[in-house]
Amino acid sequence: MNKTIVYVGGNKGGTGKSLVAIALADYMKHKRGASVLLIETDIDNPDVAKGMGSEVDAVVTADTRHEDGWRTILNTLESSPSSVTIINAGARDLDTLRLYGEYLRMGAEAIGADLIVLWVISHERDSLVALRNFLQFHTGTVWVVGNRFFEEAGTFALYHDSKLREDIERRGGGLVLFPILPRSLAFAIKSDRTSPASLIGKAPLFDRIVLERWRNLCTDAFVPILGNERRVEAPAPSPSPATGPTPGRKSE
């Protein structure tokens, strides 16, 4: 099975990219049983790395505003044994992708990995402007993630009525709806940097049910893009007692 690289972007801050990346890491690790490498490129607000770092298999930070950051990403992708890599983008990633995005496409091709782009949008027009600009230099498949926090009905009329939708569907992508998580729980995950699984372990009953329902709805959103079969990972070699790695240690 090919490695999978999922880039979670959207350029505009405040659209919910980080929560989408957290939900995706939670889905791939706990629902799909995949080994997950998380690459955090939001250097100023590394909420995803802080919240999910203890649960994924490895975490790497990279400043993609500079070429050295992409060197770190590509070399890590080649050496990592993880079957799924999630790249969490920071705000204003459009200029970065315009300059260096070809590195990611070529790197994925070189290691035989499937590259999937999730582009998170809100209900505002400038969110679609960023998507349109991205499509001008990215020629691959893109899945648009409509965050229902901004439009509860989930119609996203501006997107549906645009030529962008036709372009997205012609490339084999489409629109998926990202479910709403109540503010108090979203705040706990993002601001307290707590993973959904950890929060379920200590929340009162009602919150546990709400969280588990939200995780199931996230699964419904991700299945059309990533499927739902459990990943069968190749067993890692057993380390010798004297030289084995420390369990749970993360890459920095």
Side-chain angles (χ1 to χ4, degrees):
M1 182 179 292
N2 287 354
K3 288 185 176 183
T4 302
I5 303 167
V6 186
Y7 182 92
V8 183
N11 191 62
K12 179 178 168 59
T15 58
K17 294 187 302 295
S18 294
L19 193 57
V20 171
I22 288 169
L24 179 61
D26 179 74
Y27 165 68
M28 294 306 302
K29 187 65 187 174
H30 297 298
K31 302 288 187 180
R32 294 281 302 278
S35 59
V36 176
L37 164 66
L38 174 62
I39 299 180
E40 178 67 90
T41 73
D42 192 344
I43 303 301
D44 297 326
N45 297 291
D47 297 329
V48 181
K50 296 290 186 181
M52 295 301 298
S54 63
E55 295 182 14
V56 298
D57 296 88
V59 177
V60 171
T61 58
D63 188 347
T64 53
R65 295 170 296 184
H66 308 287
E67 192 172 45
D68 279 349
W70 290 96
R71 178 182 290 108
T72 297
I73 288 176
L74 264 60
N75 291 344
T76 301
L77 287 173
E78 183 177 42
S79 62
S80 171
S82 295
S83 63
V84 176
T85 298
I86 297 170
I87 303 175
N88 179 54
R92 299 176 299 280
D93 60 326
L94 192 60
D95 290 339
T96 294
L97 289 171
R98 186 179 286 110
L99 285 172
Y100 303 119
E102 192 71 357
Y103 287 157
L104 181 59
R105 185 194 66 78
M106 294 177 68
E109 184 177 300
I111 63 174
D114 299 321
L115 175 61
I116 298 170
V117 173
L118 303 186
W119 196 264
V120 186
I121 65 169
S122 68
H123 62 301
E124 296 179 342
R125 188 174 298 276
D126 58 352
S127 186
L128 296 185
V129 171
L131 174 60
R132 182 189 64 200
N133 292 338
F134 175 64
L135 293 176
Q136 289 176 353
F137 58 85
H138 179 80
T139 58
T141 301
V142 177
W143 287 88
V144 178
V145 181
N147 191 345
R148 292 187 65 179
F149 175 82
F150 300 101
E151 189 173 312
E152 188 170 352
T155 57
F156 290 92
L158 283 176
Y159 170 78
H160 273 292
D161 296 339
S162 71
K163 293 183 179 179
L164 291 174
R165 177 179 62 81
E166 299 174 8
D167 189 8
I168 291 288
E169 293 175 355
R170 188 164 48 244
R171 299 172 184 223
L175 173 71
V176 296
L177 300 179
F178 186 69
I180 299 171
L181 184 63
R183 285 179 182 270
S184 60
L185 296 176
F187 182 85
I189 288 173
K190 279 206 63 184
S191 298
D192 297 343
R193 293 171 170 173
T194 302
S195 72
S198 295
L199 191 56
I200 283 177
K202 59 187 177 183
L205 178 59
F206 180 76
D207 287 350
R208 295 201 305 270
I209 291 173
V210 170
L211 271 167
E212 195 55 52
R213 180 176 179 273
W214 176 76
R215 293 172 91 197
N216 290 337
L217 292 172
C218 289
T219 294
D220 293 341
F222 294 138
V223 162
I225 305 170
L226 295 157
N228 60 1
E229 74 280 3
R230 288 187 66 82
R231 295 257 174 167
V232 179
E233 308 293 351
S238 299
S240 65
T243 60
T246 302
R249 182 165 183 172
K250 307 298 178 185
S251 300
E252 299 297 338

